[in-house]
Amino acid sequence: MPVIRNTGLLALGGIAVAALLTVIGHLEVNDDLNPWALTISDFAVSDRGGVIDVAMVVLALATVTLMYGLRRTGPPPDRAVELLLGAWVAGLAVAAVVPTNEPGTAMTTAAYLHRYASVVAFLSLPVGGWLLARRDQLTPAARWLRGLAVASLVLAAAMVWSAYPGERVLIGLAERLLILTEVGVLTAVALVLARSGSPTRGIAA
């Protein structure tokens, strides 16, 4: 099915572009920022309107592309899955538009909105990925989806611990690992769609 394959390929391209922009966003920040102790949002606020914000929007659009592709592979995904993926997209969009506070400064209303939009996004995608693993068309990636979903939730818990009783120790590392696993969920789905029409081999083949 060319349309389904194309949505998978387009989503993969969007994921790759978002990853590249995020790396560039880390490299072009002039401040002496520690990526292990500071979140990606802390880097983004140092370059408002910069490439990290664009990366979040691109990743949100890649997810929308996947949602369209999933609708074309058979029966529409469960309502719960669509709501969870929609929450991920909305969370990314809000986080891209609404800045957090500068590191070391008091939290503002905008910063709280940014934080809770991020929390919604981080929790919605792994749960949605777990539910997607039950979808027949995604059977080749089911093991990966479940594994990445569990890893994401564990890392999200690590971030919560670091943000509160852990006094932000290694919060940047935990967040970056969390984002890698969540992007992995999207990539696993995109690979299955991109291989639509080819012999089913599983994403690890």
Side-chain angles (χ1 to χ4, degrees):
M1 300 180 186
V3 173
I4 297 173
R5 272 201 306 274
N6 290 341
T7 60
L9 292 171
L10 185 59
L12 286 172
I15 291 168
V17 169
L20 177 61
L21 290 174
T22 301
V23 172
I24 292 172
H26 279 68
L27 295 176
E28 73 172 12
V29 173
N30 294 323
D31 299 330
D32 185 20
L33 301 179
N34 182 350
W36 308 134
L38 298 173
T39 65
I40 291 177
S41 295
D42 293 328
F43 275 70
V45 77
S46 299
D47 181 29
R48 286 309 303 162
V51 292
I52 292 178
D53 300 308
V54 176
M56 289 190 282
V57 173
V58 171
L59 192 58
L61 292 174
T63 306
V64 172
T65 303
L66 287 180
M67 293 172 70
Y68 175 75
L70 288 170
R71 278 185 163 270
R72 297 295 298 267
T73 62
D78 293 342
R79 183 64 175 165
V81 172
E82 293 198 323
L83 287 174
L84 289 164
L85 293 181
W88 158 259
V89 170
L92 282 179
V94 171
V97 174
V98 181
T100 188
N101 57 302
E102 291 278 357
T105 62
M107 292 284 289
T108 62
T109 300
Y112 278 111
L113 178 58
H114 177 97
R115 171 182 290 182
Y116 291 119
S118 300
V119 169
V120 168
F122 286 151
L123 294 179
S124 297
L125 183 59
V127 178
W130 180 273
L131 295 178
L132 278 174
R134 303 182 305 183
R135 189 175 174 87
D136 290 342
Q137 292 83 356
L138 296 178
T139 297
R143 184 172 58 181
W144 281 93
L145 289 172
R146 292 191 181 98
L148 289 166
V150 170
S152 296
L153 292 173
V154 170
L155 288 164
M159 271 198 72
V160 171
W161 177 87
S162 178
Y164 295 101
E167 298 183 349
R168 294 179 64 87
V169 62
L170 295 180
I171 192 170
L173 176 60
E175 185 197 46
R176 284 161 179 79
L177 291 174
L178 170 59
I179 290 171
L180 280 175
T181 58
E182 299 209 335
V183 170
V185 170
L186 299 177
T187 302
V189 176
L191 283 171
V192 173
L193 296 186
R195 293 179 177 184
S196 178
S198 301
T200 300
R201 296 175 297 171
I203 67 172

